[in-house]
Amino acid sequence: MIVGVPKEIKTDETRVALVPAGVTALVASGHTVCIERNAGVRSGFPDEAYVDAGAEVLGSAGEVWERAEFIVKVKEPIEPEYDRMRADQVIFTYFHFAADERLTQRTLESGCTAIAYETVQLPTGELPLLTPMSEVAGRMAIHEAAKYLERTAGGYGILLGGVPGVLPAEVVILGGGVVGANAATIAAGFGAHVTVLDVSLPRLRYLAEVMPANVDTLYSNRHAILEQIERADVVIGAVLVPGGKAPKLVRHDDLKRMKDGSVIVDVAVDQGGCVESARPTTHNDPTYTVHGVIHYCVANMPGAVPRTSTLALTNATFPYVLKVANQGWRAACRADPDLALGVNIADGRVTYRAVAEAFDLEYTPLDNCRPDPRNET
């Protein structure tokens, strides 16, 4: 199979979907790997390293998209890439379809097979290809919040961990999953007082057992959320509905209850955000203020630390890349039900229920899709 790795072109996206070690393994299995020039440079992997591993370095994204049967990316295709998707191609990346109707429609129109990192799911419920980036984003969320609490950044002017004789900041985390747990760990390490809200009592019990004494857990409901955001210096949005839109837990008018100069970091913004006033921002222009509350809503937070993020991501994704390359996507999905859950669009149909529900589209179970020889790669 011909595996293609284009350079990421989303604003401020500096990760790469395949490292030289992955190229070596693919080539050893008889596959061809073509990578766009300088695709890995910003993650610390020069073209020479890919050539030494056996890849062909091509001069443009167009050449990569045209040659490849199997495209491996980090972020979803954006406008300049829509016309490059085609019916005999498999694309494996973060898609987050439920937050982007135009991307969904254009992917359907292309006829390609879209396998989304974020919905590959283990029987335990774990999302193994989302987990590493959730770990990075959860940890980064506290770094960014601490920065924007500073008066010079427009914030309330407090130190996250306080000092002896001065109370620490109040950090409220909406969601106790991977993002929330990692955010809580870092915030607690800084010395902040942390409250984690979630609707899963088993998860809250687990967090109560493993977190340090300055982390409290609270069952999430409308009353509890309002009470906590009034006290909060920092609110971290860490809610996840696999493959679907995040619920709006903090409404626009709720911001009026919060302190001027407090900070919201909505990590769920790439799934529509769990704060109603959230809209995607970039690393170049990361924040805006609504009702005196600073919003940090960068949709690709791990892109700011591409070396760490690329290595963490490819450690998780590469075994699946190799399966698809070796077996073809249909056979790989038949053999691996976890991977099959990652198929969101196939043969011009939506095969993931949450995506269909987001835009009132027809849902077709993957098993009901007719095999198409063009898509058997």
Side-chain angles (χ1 to χ4, degrees), residues 96 98-99 244-248 266 268-276 278-280:
H96 299 294
K245 284 188 176 180
K248 304 298 184 186
D266 195 343
V269 71
D270 55 4
Q271 289 288 87
C274 63
V275 176
E276 190 174 40
R279 56 175 172 80

Side-chain angles (χ1 to χ4, degrees), residues 25 42 53 78 101 149 169 191 197 216 234 258 324 329-331:
R42 294 171 296 177
I78 60 175
E101 186 172 8
L149 275 179
L197 291 87
D216 292 322
V234 172
M258 296 180 65
V324 173
W329 77 267
R330 289 187 187 275

Side-chain angles (χ1 to χ4, degrees), residues 171-194:
V171 176
V172 172
I173 300 174
L174 305 177
V178 177
V179 170
N182 277 270
T185 297
I186 300 302
F190 270 103
H193 178 254
V194 183

Side-chain angles (χ1 to χ4, degrees), residues 7-30:
K7 184 178 179 180
E8 298 296 324
I9 60 173
K10 189 167 185 174
T11 303
D12 299 325
E13 182 50 67
T14 52
R15 291 170 286 181
V16 65
L18 194 65
V19 299
V23 173
T24 299
L26 284 166
V27 171
S29 296

Side-chain angles (χ1 to χ4, degrees), residues 20-33 53-54 318 322 326:
V23 173
T24 299
L26 284 166
V27 171
S29 296
H31 305 293
T32 298
V33 179
F318 184 73
L322 192 59
N326 284 343

Side-chain angles (χ1 to χ4, degrees), residues 10 75-76 82 95-105 118 241-246 248 267-274 278-280 299 344 354-359:
K10 189 167 185 174
K75 294 298 290 181
E76 73 281 355
Y82 289 165
F95 276 103
H96 299 294
F97 281 119
D100 193 333
E101 186 172 8
R102 179 163 172 76
L103 171 65
T104 303
Q105 290 294 346
E118 69 273 10
V241 177
K245 284 188 176 180
K248 304 298 184 186
V267 183
V269 71
D270 55 4
Q271 289 288 87
C274 63
R279 56 175 172 80
N344 282 205
V355 175
E357 291 174 350
F359 304 118

Side-chain angles (χ1 to χ4, degrees), residues 5 23 111 159 186 192 202 211 223 238 329:
V5 183
V23 173
L159 185 65
I186 300 302
M211 287 291 169
H223 175 79
W329 77 267

Side-chain angles (χ1 to χ4, degrees), residues 356-373:
E357 291 174 350
F359 304 118
D360 197 25
L361 297 170
E362 182 181 355
Y363 163 68
T364 303
L366 184 60
D367 289 343
N368 293 357
C369 287
R370 296 190 310 272
D372 183 340

